[in-house]
Structure formats: C-alpha cells, structure tokens
C-alpha cells in the first residue's frame, strides 16, 4: 500500500471518528425518546438509566442523562477532529488543514496573551478546549440532539472548575494574603467580598445556561407559532395538505442560524473570556515574585549560616 493511499484511508477513519459519535447520539435519541403526538414540547435531558448507588449505602442513585452522554460524544468528536487537523503535519508541503490549525493556534495564543499575560500562556490549550466543548455542545441542536449546554449541571461543573482555578491562584500568594483580600478596601466590606467570591461561579453558570436555554425555548415557540400560522393560512386546502406545516419548511433553519449557531458560539467565547479574566485577575504576579524573592533570600541566608 502506497503512502498516499494509506494517508487517505487514515483520513477517512478520522472523519468517521468525528461523525460516528453524532450518529450514535441520534440512534440513542430515537431509541429512548418516548413516542408522543406531533406537538412542541420543551423538556430537560432524558434519563437513560440510573446506577444504583443506594445499594452501596449512599442516599441517591446516579442518573445517566442525555446531557452526560452527549457531552462524551462531543468530546470524542472533538478528539478525532484534532487528530484530523494534525494528521500529516509537514513543514515543506503543508496541507490546507495545517494552515487552518496554525491560524487557530496563533489566534488563541494572542487571545490568551492579551487577556492573561505571558505567564499564563500555558492556558491556551485549556481555553481553546473550553471554547470548542461549549460551542460544539450548543451546536448539537442542529442534529436534533439535546445540547449539554442546556443542562444546568454541565455548565455548573465547568464554572466550579474555573472557581477552583481562581482560588488556587489566589492561594499562591499565601493563605493569609488570601484571607486579607476579603477585608479590602475596609473590613466592613468582608461579608460582601465573601458573597462576591461565590457569586463568580454562579454568574458564569446562569449567564451561559440562561442564554442557551432561552434560545432553545424561543426556537420551540417559533416552530409552534409557524405551525399555527400555516394551518390558519392553508387550512382551507383539502385533506392532509391543510394540516401540513408549510411555514416550518426552511424558516426554522433561518432562525437557527442565530439561536443555535451564532448564539452558541458567542456564549462559548464569552465563557472563555470570563475564565481568562477571572483567573488572571486572581493572581498578582508582582506580589508573587516578591514573595518568591523573599523566600529565596531567607533560604540563602539559612544556607550561609549553616555553612
């Protein structure tokens, strides 16, 4: 087998790896969605099954929901997309996909550098992964699947992870310095500063979740309104023609460009921006350098005394 033929076969397998998770999600959706009448309904994520943790002495069972399964399907698709984008990297004769991958990396590196600084450049892979996961999760609606970003638990998990990073960088400047920050600018603001500390993950969660869910609700209401309008205009047609929703052909796709594609991508970008700003603002790099210099000076004095 020649190298070019093997390369094409590997490309096909990687593309299949991107598509198969979406197809799997559609099949699971069809198998587990209960049959219902032709009506518009707005529901949460389906519960496929529950892991009986109560048998182990715990109070609740662990539900495996549509949001969890679709999140993993998105992760698998992104994984194969990354493999496809980096397949066949070559300095002499780069492929078009290599130019696209390099352009994305350059833009993300510049975004992280402008918003977080040079000492946070290692966060570029984390930021692009977060944007990709959020955007592709929202775009699952284009395939008729439940978007994981419409589940409050999923977004809350992301926000808690960001909150842990924020707290970690605040603690890098010392635990006492972290506690002292709650008394700034004056001690009377301590209760408000504590509330503000925990309001960060809450605001990030509800901002992202609210915008995605509102788009889903509006799309469903528009689809229902178009069906009613179609019946009112074409109801005089005989038989099934009078019941056919003509106005739901094409028009929902136009609305979906904003509510699903544009809004989903914008919310992914906003969530990533808030992550960068909150993490970078939590870390006083100059103060951290001063503390490190003092530690090194003390260590040098101890070593000189011992010697």
């Amino acid at each position: 087998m020649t190298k070019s033929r093997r390369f094409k076969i590997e490309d096909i397998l990687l593309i299949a790896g991107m598509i198969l998770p979406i197809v799997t999600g559609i099949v699971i959706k069809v198998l587990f969605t209960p049959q219902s009448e032709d009506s518009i309904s707005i529901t949460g994520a389906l519960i496929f099954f529950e892991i009986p943790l109560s048998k182990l002495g715990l109070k609740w069972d662990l539900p495996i929901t549509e949001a969890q399964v679709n999140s993993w399907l998105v992760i698998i698709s992104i994984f194969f997309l990354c493999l496809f984008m980096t397949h066949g990297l070559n300095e002499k004769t780069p492929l078009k996909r290599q130019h696209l991958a390099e352009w994305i990396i350059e833009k993300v590196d510049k975004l992280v550098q402008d918003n977080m600084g040079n000492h946070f450049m290692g966060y570029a892979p984390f930021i692009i992964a977060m944007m990709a996961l959020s955007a592709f999760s929202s775009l699952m609606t284009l395939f008729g699947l439940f978007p994981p970003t419409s589940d409050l638990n999923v977004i809350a998990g992301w926000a808690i992870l960001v909150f842990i990073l924020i707290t970690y960088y605040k603690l890098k400047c010392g635990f006492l310095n972290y506690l002292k920050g709650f008394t700034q600018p004056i001690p009377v603001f301590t209760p408000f500063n504590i509330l503000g500390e925990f309001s960060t993950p809450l605001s990030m969660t509800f901002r992202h979740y609210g915008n995605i869910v509102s788009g889903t609700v509006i799309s469903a209401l528009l689809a229902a309104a178009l069906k009613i309008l179609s019946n009112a205009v074409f109801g005089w047609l005989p038989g099934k023609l009078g019941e056919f929703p003509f106005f739901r052909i094409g028009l929902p796709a136009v609305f979906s460009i904003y509510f699903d594609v544009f809004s989903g991508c914008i919310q992914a970008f906003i969530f990533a921006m808030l992550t960068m700003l909150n993490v970078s603002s939590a870390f006083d790099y100059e103060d951290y350098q001063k503390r490190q210099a003092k530690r090194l000076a003390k260590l040098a004095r101890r070593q000189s005394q011992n010697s």
Side-chain angles (χ1 to χ4, degrees):
M1 183 182 297
T2 62
K3 183 178 180 181
S4 59
R5 186 179 178 185
R6 184 172 65 249
F7 184 85
K8 292 179 180 179
I9 293 175
E10 291 173 351
D11 264 358
I12 293 173
L13 292 176
L14 293 175
I15 293 173
M18 290 186 284
I19 298 175
L20 283 178
I22 307 300
V23 176
T24 303
I26 295 173
V27 173
I28 295 175
K29 178 80 172 180
V30 172
L31 293 177
F32 282 88
T33 302
Q35 294 183 355
S36 60
E37 298 180 357
D38 185 19
S39 59
I40 301 297
S41 61
I42 302 173
T43 59
L46 294 174
I47 298 178
F48 294 137
F49 59 91
E50 293 185 349
I51 299 176
L53 297 179
S54 56
K55 295 181 179 180
L56 302 177
L58 299 178
K59 189 175 181 180
W60 295 285
D61 295 331
L62 177 63
I64 303 301
T65 68
E66 193 176 10
Q68 294 168 309
V69 173
N70 288 352
S71 292
W72 278 106
L73 295 178
V74 170
I75 292 172
I76 294 172
S77 293
I78 294 175
F79 173 72
F80 280 101
L81 174 61
C82 294
L83 292 180
F84 176 77
M85 295 291 290
T86 56
H87 184 220
L89 295 179
N90 195 329
E91 294 182 0
K92 296 181 179 179
T93 56
L95 301 173
K96 292 182 179 179
R97 76 184 76 167
Q98 182 174 339
H99 290 297
L100 178 60
E102 291 174 353
W103 178 81
I104 293 173
I105 293 173
E106 290 175 359
K107 292 299 180 181
V108 174
D109 284 343
K110 187 176 185 303
L111 185 68
V112 173
Q113 185 178 25
D114 293 342
N115 292 279
M116 302 184 76
N118 292 325
H119 47 279
F120 280 102
M121 290 304 297
Y123 267 81
F126 176 76
I127 296 301
I128 185 58
M130 179 173 291
M131 284 195 289
L133 180 59
S134 177
F136 281 91
S137 295
S138 299
L139 294 177
M140 292 288 276
T141 54
L142 298 178
F143 303 97
L145 300 176
F146 181 84
T149 45
S150 292
D151 191 314
L152 184 64
N153 299 300
V154 174
I155 307 300
W158 299 352
I160 291 173
L161 175 60
V162 175
F163 177 70
I164 292 173
L165 290 174
I166 293 171
T167 306
Y168 167 75
Y169 278 102
K170 286 185 177 180
L171 289 173
K172 287 194 73 171
C173 293
F175 183 72
L176 294 178
N177 191 48
Y178 172 71
L179 295 178
K180 183 180 178 181
F182 290 108
T183 63
Q184 301 297 327
I186 53 177
V188 73
F189 283 97
T190 299
F192 301 101
N193 290 330
I194 295 175
L195 290 175
E197 187 78 2
F198 293 100
S199 66
T200 298
L202 290 176
S203 63
M204 292 183 67
T205 300
F206 286 105
R207 180 184 287 106
H208 196 299
Y209 168 76
N211 282 282
I212 298 299
V213 170
S214 62
T216 303
V217 172
I218 293 174
S219 296
L221 294 176
L222 284 173
L226 289 173
K227 181 180 179 181
I228 295 173
L229 180 62
S230 181
N231 292 336
V233 175
F234 300 103
W236 56 271
L237 293 175
K240 294 292 184 180
L241 289 176
E243 300 176 1
F244 189 82
F246 289 97
F247 287 128
R248 286 174 63 178
I249 300 176
L251 286 177
V254 176
F255 294 123
S256 178
I257 294 175
Y258 175 79
F259 292 115
D260 294 329
V261 180
F262 179 76
S263 179
C265 294
I266 286 295
Q267 293 307 315
F269 178 76
I270 292 175
F271 193 88
M273 285 294 297
L274 291 174
T275 299
M276 289 187 289
L277 295 176
N278 287 324
V279 171
S280 60
S281 62
F283 183 59
D284 191 338
Y285 186 67
E286 293 182 358
D287 184 52
Y288 177 75
Q289 284 185 319
K290 292 178 181 179
R291 292 175 60 85
Q292 290 295 102
K294 290 180 180 179
R295 287 183 180 180
L296 293 175
K298 288 182 179 179
L299 182 61
R301 284 197 298 267
R302 289 178 182 177
Q303 290 178 349
S304 61
Q305 291 175 357
N306 294 332
S307 60

